[in-house]
Amino acid sequence: MTAADAGSWQAEEEEPQGPVGKAFRLSAADSLSLGNALCGFLAVCVLASSAIRSLQDGGDFRPAPSYFATAVVLLLIGATCDLFDGLVARRFRASAMGAELDNLADVISFGFAPAFMIVIWGGFTNEVPFPVVLAAAAAILIAGVVRLARFACVKTKSGDFMGLPIPMGAMTVISIVLLFEPSVPALLAVLGVAWLMVSRIEYPKPKGQLAAVVLGWIMVNVAFLTFWVAWPEGGDLPIKIGATMHIALVAAIPLRVLFYKREQRKEASRIIGD
């Protein structure tokens, strides 16, 4: 090996060290993404703990509302972190692995955690066969992973989201779990959420006042759920109202898009006819 070859070999070895070193520097936005992932992990731990404690007592397992409420609070906190990490990344310097961290955190908090919640919610009842519950949970997880992968590769012309964003999908699944007992219609609704996530329906990005409304909705739900955990005797009416409003919002957007496109087609046909 000549000196030139040795120098070239050393340069090739040392060249990647700069970018790799920079990639290991976490930014403020990365800290929020990691907080999102931690919230999702803790939510799963809370749900698993409810099952473990109940089975240790020797009785039939029935998910306690307080455990579900605690898990949902953690996921809502994770959603708040997810809402802010992009804003912080744009306002301050983002790291080289920010986008990857964000997607990985979303898989944990809004893919795996809701899927695990479905298993805990419907897997210990005689109303629905366990394989059906498992299939619905798997559909949410797979749809979430596909949704995130597509988001990283496909950009819409309007700049809006193609398909139901995974945080909204997770919150819709949670709303179904909070509102309904395990049943085939409820699981069909879960499958509908999975379909919306991988559909081509465009959902508007929360910007400006809409972002403030989304943040306000999250904080109000956190407050309601915290109240539910602390004072369960106060009833769960606020939670049911919030969950119903969320499902109505998620269902209304595709209907509004369909009506809007139909009006566009009618307008185009009228112009062509004239």
Side-chain angles (χ1 to χ4, degrees):
M1 179 185 296
T2 64
D5 292 334
S8 175
W9 177 78
Q10 288 177 353
E12 290 177 359
E13 287 294 317
E14 294 174 358
E15 188 175 356
Q17 296 303 315
V20 171
K22 292 180 180 179
F24 279 105
R25 298 174 186 173
L26 295 176
S27 65
D30 295 336
S31 300
L32 290 173
S33 296
L34 293 175
N36 177 19
L38 180 62
C39 287
F41 169 72
L42 292 176
V44 171
C45 289
V46 167
L47 293 171
S49 176
S50 67
I52 292 171
R53 288 178 181 273
S54 178
L55 294 175
Q56 284 177 339
D57 293 338
D60 294 334
F61 172 67
R62 184 172 181 82
S66 61
Y67 285 96
F68 267 91
T70 304
V72 175
V73 166
L74 287 167
L75 293 181
L76 285 172
I77 295 173
T80 305
C81 292
D82 183 62
L83 180 65
F84 275 107
D85 63 2
L87 299 175
V88 172
R90 287 188 291 270
R91 179 65 178 83
F92 303 100
R93 183 175 57 85
S95 74
M97 56 182 178
E100 287 73 15
L101 279 177
D102 185 31
N103 281 344
L104 290 172
D106 286 351
V107 168
I108 297 171
S109 293
F110 310 127
F112 178 69
F116 189 76
M117 181 177 289
I118 292 172
V119 174
I120 295 295
W121 165 68
F124 296 88
T125 176
N126 295 325
E127 300 296 326
V128 184
F130 182 73
V132 177
V133 176
L134 199 60
I140 287 295
L141 177 61
I142 293 173
V145 172
V146 172
R147 171 72 182 77
L148 289 170
R150 189 176 66 182
F151 174 75
C153 301
V154 179
K155 303 298 180 184
T156 60
K157 294 181 180 179
S158 63
D160 293 332
F161 295 114
M162 181 184 292
L164 180 66
I166 187 171
M168 288 188 68
M171 294 305 145
T172 308
V173 170
I174 290 169
S175 298
I176 293 171
V177 169
L178 291 177
L179 283 176
F180 304 107
E181 293 293 327
S183 64
V184 172
L187 291 175
L188 289 176
V190 169
L191 293 176
V193 174
W195 176 81
L196 285 175
M197 283 197 286
V198 297
S199 70
R200 296 180 179 272
I201 298 173
E202 293 187 3
Y203 282 78
K205 277 189 177 181
K207 303 174 184 176
Q209 292 182 348
L210 181 58
V213 170
V214 172
L215 177 61
W217 177 87
I218 292 174
M219 299 310 295
V220 167
N221 277 274
V222 169
F224 280 151
L225 284 163
T226 304
F227 178 82
W228 188 27
V229 173
W231 295 282
E233 64 275 6
D236 55 359
L237 181 61
I239 305 302
K240 291 185 176 180
I241 292 174
T244 302
M245 291 177 62
H246 179 78
I247 292 175
L249 174 66
V250 171
I253 292 176
L255 292 176
R256 177 68 185 90
V257 171
L258 290 175
F259 284 131
Y260 176 72
K261 289 185 176 181
R262 188 175 67 175
E263 291 298 325
Q264 280 188 323
R265 287 195 294 267
K266 287 183 179 180
E267 184 67 19
S269 300
R270 186 184 63 81
I271 294 174
I272 294 173
D274 295 338

